[in-house]
Amino acid sequence: MAARVLVIGSGGREHTLAWKLAQSNHVKQVLVAPGNAGTACSQKISNAAVSTSDHSALAQFCKDENIEFVVVGPEAPLAAGIVGSLASAGVRCFGPTAEAAQLESSKRFAKEFMDRHGIPTARWRAFTQPEEACSFIMSADFPALVVKASGLAAGKGVIVAESREEACRAVQEIMQDKAFGAAGETIVIEELLEGEEVSCLCFTDGRTVAPMPPAQDHKRLLEGDHGPNTGGMGAYCPAPQVSKDLLLKIKNAILQRTVDGMQQEGSPYTGVLYAGIMLTKDGPKVLEFNCRFGDPECQVILPLLKSDLYEVVQSTLDGLLCASPPVWLENRVAVTVVMASQGYPGDYTKGAEITGVAEAQALGLEVFQAGTALKDGKVVTNGGRVLTVTAIREDLISALEGANKGLAAIKFEGAVYRKDIGYRAIAFLQQPRGLTYKESGVDIAAGNLLVKKIKPLAKATSRPGCDVDLGGFAGLFDLKAAGFKDPLLVSGTDGVGTKLKIAQQCNKHDTIGQDLVAMCVNDILAQGAEPLFFLDYFSCGKLDLSTAAAVVAGIAEACGKAGCALLGGETAEMPDMYPPGDYDLAGFAVGAVERDQKLRPLESVAEGDVVIGVASSGLHSNGFSLVRKIVAKSSLQYSSPAPDGCGNQTLGDLLLTPTRIYSPSLLPVLRSGHIKAFAHITGGGLLENIPRVLPPKCGVDLDAQTWRIPTVFSWLQQEGHISEEEMARTFNCGVGAALVVSEDLTEQVLRDIQQRQEEAWVIGRVVACPEGSPRVRVRHLIEAMRIRGSVVENGTVRSHFSVPPRKARVAVLISGTGSNLQALIDSTQEPSSAAHIVVVVSNRAGVAGLDRAARAGIPTRVINHKSYQTRVEFDSAVDQVLEEFSTDIVCLAGFMRILSGPFVRKWNGKMINIHPSLLPSFKGSNAHEQALDAGVTVTGCTVHFVSEDVDAGQIILQEAVPVKRGDTAATLSERVKLAEHKVFPAALQLVASGAVRLGDDGRLCYVQEE
């Protein structure tokens, strides 16, 4: 479907946004309000005469014009709350709320926020009295030379003084002379930072941060960075001063930390986040935040966006940026130069005719207009910054030359522009550099420093048979010194999988080493082997000393727990093989077992043997690709508090709980001779690992109600709607290892395990397994996952408390006032409700039901049926919204559309409707008139499952209403509505709680019957 979108603003930034959106095949028309001469009439782009300050009128305009979403360019409307106003009216708007936009609208708020969340920035103080400010400037123990108006000042409210006296004069100018009006009622005095200034922007959906290529703006009016400050006289992108590694550091330490902090403080940040950053000798520090695209940065960044901007905006609004991050052009550089009116940034004249724009465009350049207007069919100047000329070329010098050619072609009286945009980057690139191994990306000195750091850690893991001393070509192990007489060597290798991605996102690297060691040493236990020594392999694109040291320290600590020596390893720095910040791990464990003590499961396991489960510490290190997908679709992020019942920690910490190492506790049990088989429950879960130690014709029958399942598994199952089989095939489900023993030795083995501080239970038996049958049966897994904090007494689970059941996610479809919707809202807000309304969808804009949803804080969507040629197309659009919100149940509450067969079949048993009669009587419309005409004395309302035949689905609940003498259709309708408000919520509760469902035979099925 071709969409219509609206861009708010009138500058070069807004022209660029409209230009990029118009390139999308999804977009039919881009309206710009108020726009300029460049956006007045250009193929898909035109201006809209609508007030952007009257949010109610703007929302109505968007509904009347079927606007898909609104993109806000400048900061002032964002600070004024345009996003919240439009959202409450059911209009999607790209940008942060007024609360989140305080990062720009209040310098004081931004600085206090950065201090709270450990985001690097200059030292500062805020003042409301000029005398106090000046006193601080004169006495501060740092160069307090940057004076900022705390409020919005159109990008000009910053004065960088060259002396303390000049800084004091700036205070007087801002606070007493009101140079920036009310924006200067509070001022911020900052430390003057030294270094290179860059602009680092990102798209964010409130959780995921997708960085844009870094840019550099030129604020000063004149060449060589002289003259007064302006809104910006040009920019280039990407800035070569910011390497990929440095950009990753900025993303993690500044951008992601800011987005996470806003989420934690209850003001999720969505849209574009702009960080003005100084690259100091101590690392990047934030100068300021902007809550939108910069101008002129927008004019160099968006031309390098390879992705469809419409799709990027939709992904951001839908919270799906992690699934479809934007893609950027490579090996391209953009330069934009601003042409300004004579006198800017002071007073300037307007109305000068502009010529040569077409000639510049003919050179393959983009001309984005800003302060322009149409007068008598001509384009004339109408502002300080008039237009920008953007060139996209293979290198910076070529791009600057191209832009300058465009500037020479465009003429207007008194034009002012710079010819040296990007000069600092050109100087940076032309610095002579001898080619070295380090310049190629491999830092041998850093590698040597890492070895120096980890040597004592490895030395501490020495044991009989091995004295660890890193740095040689190979390590030695003396089996005789370790006490072995007739040993068999046992080896195992493994990695940690995509659990690494979570560690890297959480910047937590100290526990992942235990996962690596545990995955290897637990595997060799399956042969009854004692782990002797361990080797690790750490590979990365760029070696970060602190990260690598934390990982290896974790490996060394885990080797100590496992009783094996960290004998050696390899650190591989491979430029371009890994993205910045990424690394991978592999581990290799070697153990030994006396020949006569080796486990022989295929010869000894027999039908009737008992299976003992040993508790896991949680997820261990398997299934994390699925885990990450579930988290991405959930309402949580890794920095969020863990789900209820999972302890006082973050979700990231919960998922990174290290894998349990079983060798210290279970090796003596294995050596006792009482164990027939040991299975490490690793990749493949319960279903794939236990059969690896069973004879061909044997299987196991497990009962999940006999062991304790950590709550994290319950949360994953419910959040991801994972089937019982998928859970058992992917995760350990609380059983990290399974032992097979003879029935007569069961109690003794359980005591031995429990005496060594391991939690263990009898979880099943070995059974005969005919060929072709599943070799592992796990009964009651989903039921057991509903129990949290449980213990086992005499083989029976005793629950301390139950997991609060996951509430069914409900979508309500409406067409009008939504009186039944209000009843559903009120009922689902009760703590005892089994349902939660996640979205309200209307086929009509501006109806009262949308307002009811907005007041309750429920997201809304308007899908106009008139925009679709067929019912199926319309239903498909509705279905996409239902899938977007992971809907479980659909309620039709006055939805005046007949749904298509494919839609009804897809949602069969999950969609309910209310009808104003006692079905099967008086189907269809005019039910009250039919009842009055029939002369019945009782009518009412019916809640039923929706079927393809109108008003013919299985009945869930009915409520009778007497027909009184003298009733009219109107009076009867009012009384029936009261009954509807009672029975509809009750029916939803039955369906949402699972008490009632539609059976496979199409008939109503009650839990009691099952």
Side-chain angles (χ1 to χ4, degrees), residues 37-241:
T39 58
C41 188
S42 173
Q43 295 179 343
K44 291 182 179 180
I45 306 171
S46 59
N47 291 339
V50 59
S51 170
T52 58
S53 58
D54 185 342
H55 296 170
S56 297
L58 183 62
Q60 190 59 50
F61 172 85
C62 292
K63 294 174 181 179
D64 294 341
E65 297 295 328
N66 293 321
I67 297 299
E68 180 83 7
F69 57 72
V70 177
V71 177
V72 184
E75 62 275 18
L78 294 168
I82 190 172
V83 173
S85 297
L86 293 182
S88 64
V91 178
R92 307 229 301 168
C93 191
F94 179 77
T97 62
E99 293 77 16
Q102 289 181 94
L103 285 173
E104 178 173 10
S105 63
S106 171
K107 301 291 188 293
R108 180 172 191 162
F109 171 87
K111 299 294 282 190
E112 290 172 346
F113 173 87
M114 286 186 272
D115 286 350
R116 286 196 298 273
H117 294 278
I119 297 166
T121 187
R123 289 174 285 181
W124 68 285
R125 283 277 301 276
F127 298 94
T128 57
Q129 299 299 324
E131 298 80 10
E132 294 177 7
C134 289
S135 174
F136 174 75
I137 289 170
M138 301 306 293
S139 61
D141 60 357
F142 56 83
L145 300 178
V146 181
V147 184
K148 294 181 176 181
S150 181
L152 295 177
K156 305 182 188 72
V158 179
I159 297 175
V160 181
E162 295 185 1
S163 67
R164 294 179 188 265
E165 291 75 18
E166 185 182 339
C168 286
R169 289 196 294 273
V171 171
Q172 304 301 322
E173 182 182 336
I174 295 174
M175 300 195 79
Q176 293 185 326
D177 299 343
K178 305 293 184 184
F180 305 115
E185 290 177 358
T186 297
I187 62 168
V188 170
I189 308 296
E190 274 189 11
E191 171 189 14
L192 177 64
L193 298 177
E194 295 183 354
E196 196 84 29
E197 185 175 346
V198 293
S199 303
C200 292
L201 291 80
C202 67
F203 293 104
T204 178
D205 57 11
R207 291 184 296 170
T208 300
V209 163
M212 304 179 197
Q216 188 173 64
D217 183 14
H218 295 63
K219 289 289 187 186
R220 300 282 186 169
L221 179 70
L222 304 177
E223 292 178 7
D225 284 336
H226 297 295
N229 259 347
T230 70
M233 292 302 294
Y236 63 91
C237 180
Q241 301 92 325

Side-chain angles (χ1 to χ4, degrees), residues 813-815 843-844 863 865-866 868 870-871 874-875 892 894-900:
L813 275 53
I814 65 170
S815 294
N843 65 312
R844 294 175 181 169
I863 304 176
H865 59 279
K866 295 179 181 178
Y868 300 85
T870 66
R871 275 195 297 151
F874 170 71
D875 290 354
L892 307 184
F895 186 62
M896 307 305 291
R897 301 295 303 166
I898 297 176
L899 296 165
S900 62

Side-chain angles (χ1 to χ4, degrees), residues 331-410:
N331 303 316
R332 288 290 184 274
V333 176
V335 170
T336 196
V337 183
V338 173
M339 295 187 78
S341 297
Q342 188 172 10
Y344 175 79
D347 296 333
Y348 50 82
T349 59
K350 301 179 182 180
E353 182 181 355
I354 304 168
T355 61
V357 170
E359 288 81 351
Q361 291 171 330
L363 297 173
L365 306 169
E366 300 297 338
V367 179
F368 299 116
Q369 298 187 34
T372 64
L374 289 173
K375 184 178 181 182
D376 300 328
K378 298 176 181 179
V379 179
V380 299
T381 62
N382 192 44
R385 291 191 294 171
V386 176
L387 55 83
T388 63
V389 178
T390 300
I392 301 98
R393 299 290 188 267
E394 292 184 357
D395 59 73
L396 183 60
I397 294 175
S398 300
L400 180 56
E401 289 174 350
N404 285 337
K405 288 178 182 178
L407 294 164
I410 298 174

Side-chain angles (χ1 to χ4, degrees), residues 399 571 611 622 802 811 829 917 927 985:
T571 301
V611 182
N622 300 107
S802 296
Q829 289 177 341
S917 77

Side-chain angles (χ1 to χ4, degrees), residues 424-448:
R424 288 196 297 272
I426 293 171
F428 175 84
L429 292 170
Q430 291 178 343
Q431 288 176 4
R433 291 182 180 84
L435 192 60
T436 65
Y437 204 18
K438 184 175 181 178
E439 289 286 334
S440 302
V442 180
D443 191 341
I444 294 176
N448 291 337

Side-chain angles (χ1 to χ4, degrees), residues 660-728:
R660 192 158 184 80
I661 296 174
Y662 292 113
S663 52
S665 54
L666 295 187
L667 191 59
V669 180
L670 295 176
R671 285 174 169 169
S672 69
H674 298 154
I675 308 301
K676 292 187 175 185
F678 173 100
H680 179 204
I681 310 303
T682 177
L686 296 165
L687 301 189
E688 300 289 340
N689 286 289
I690 296 177
R692 295 164 70 178
V693 297
L694 297 178
K697 294 184 179 180
C698 286
V700 294
D701 186 4
L702 309 180
D703 185 349
Q705 291 183 330
T706 59
W707 75 81
R708 181 182 60 82
I709 300 179
T711 309
V712 64
F713 294 104
S714 175
W715 179 78
L716 288 168
Q717 188 276 323
Q718 293 179 11
E719 195 70 35
H721 307 287
I722 307 174
S723 69
E724 191 167 53
E725 181 179 2
E726 190 70 12
M727 286 296 299

Side-chain angles (χ1 to χ4, degrees), residues 605-611 676 698-699 740-744 746 764-768:
V605 173
E607 184 180 349
D609 285 342
V610 172
V611 182
K676 292 187 175 185
C698 286
V740 180
V741 301
S742 299
E743 184 174 11
D744 59 334
T746 300
R765 288 183 175 272
V766 177
V767 296

